[in-house]
Amino acid sequence: MAPRWPRQILFGDIDAMFASAAVLADPSLAGKPVAVGGPPPRGIIAAASYAVRRFGVRSAMPTIQALRLCPQLILVPPDRPLYTRLHRQLQEVTQRFFPETEWTSIDEFYADTTRLQTRHPDPHLLGRAVKADILHTTGLTCTIALASGKTVAKIAADAYKPDGLAVIEPGSEAAFLAPLPIRSLPGMGPKSTEAIERLGIRTIGDLLLPRFEPALVRHLGTRLAAFQSLARGVDSDPVVAERETKSVSHETTFDEDTNDPAVLEPIIHGFLETLAHDLRLEGLAAGAFTVKLKDAHFRITTRQRTFSTPLNYDPDMWPEIRRALADLLQPRSRYRLVGLGLSDLVSAPEPLFDRRQRDAVAALDRLIERHGSDIVRLGALPQGDARKKNRRRRMPD
Ligand SMILES: [Mg+2]
């Protein structure tokens, strides 16, 4: 029986998730040079199967360039509802095994398995069981790595892909890392890597050699100590489990009861803008929403709907919410309170498919942070006008 580890972290990463999902949807694509992405001229590759990686095709590469490298490439459009469904199934598996899971992307997770060692004393058997359950539940293969820290587990998984199982025993971290290229270390960007490689320093092990120390200090400065700790396998970064907040909401009570959509819509829309902004900052997306109304007799009615895929960009969310509000409004009722909740929060999948939209949204979020949400409107609703209208309608008591 394997010895008990003082700390044990399990990292899981689905192999070429989007490309593998395309094969699940259409099994005739199995083994073929599939890539998921947008069409040329402006599209980019979101995920490349292992068959096209052999040609040098990588994710985030312009599709036009990928087609030059691999003319027989089969381009498949992204299928976000499918990815969301697969992510939920993956969560079912992790919930079966682990009390807490940290998702770092739609297909990557960490779990602290230190306390699971009583039930699963052999990390190889635990890793194999998780892999088998993921394959059985989703049809996807994954690579699992167990190590004493997150960084080593992640690096090991990258080194053992695809369909791999890596167990880096405590005490063997530095020896495992030593022969790997320095660019395998998180935080070691292409620029630093290039500069350091020019000094003749190529491997993670080289970072610990005293003869390179002066040159490394010149290039990495105070960051060197952190890289050296990682190179020794020292990494106590904790697994931060999924956040408690499964929903966010906002509501307000009116001075004057109303049933006028021209008053209610802009208020709900304003809530949506604020809540969606918060989700984007937290890297979350909402799978569902609830519109809530309280009438003059304090009766509460709600309408809950799910989005076809988790969203955090308010212009995409608004049409559904607006329809739900319209369905909920009763012509004879007047309302004293309106609220909006966003729920089924999940880690937001990186919107790889439309970088320009992502950059624009990020720029707006920075503006909102600096100046408050009133100066920037992602949607086109004239909220200010409607507020004035509300004020005009106010009757004296
Ligand atoms: Mg993956």
Side-chain angles (χ1 to χ4, degrees), residues 11-18 50 53 105-108 141 143 154 158 161:
F11 174 71
D13 182 2
I14 303 302
D15 303 318
M17 160 110 154
F18 293 174
Y50 286 91
R53 288 184 198 191
S105 81
I106 194 165
D107 74 321
E108 292 184 7
T141 64
T143 297
K154 165 90 170 112
D158 288 345
K161 275 187 150 298

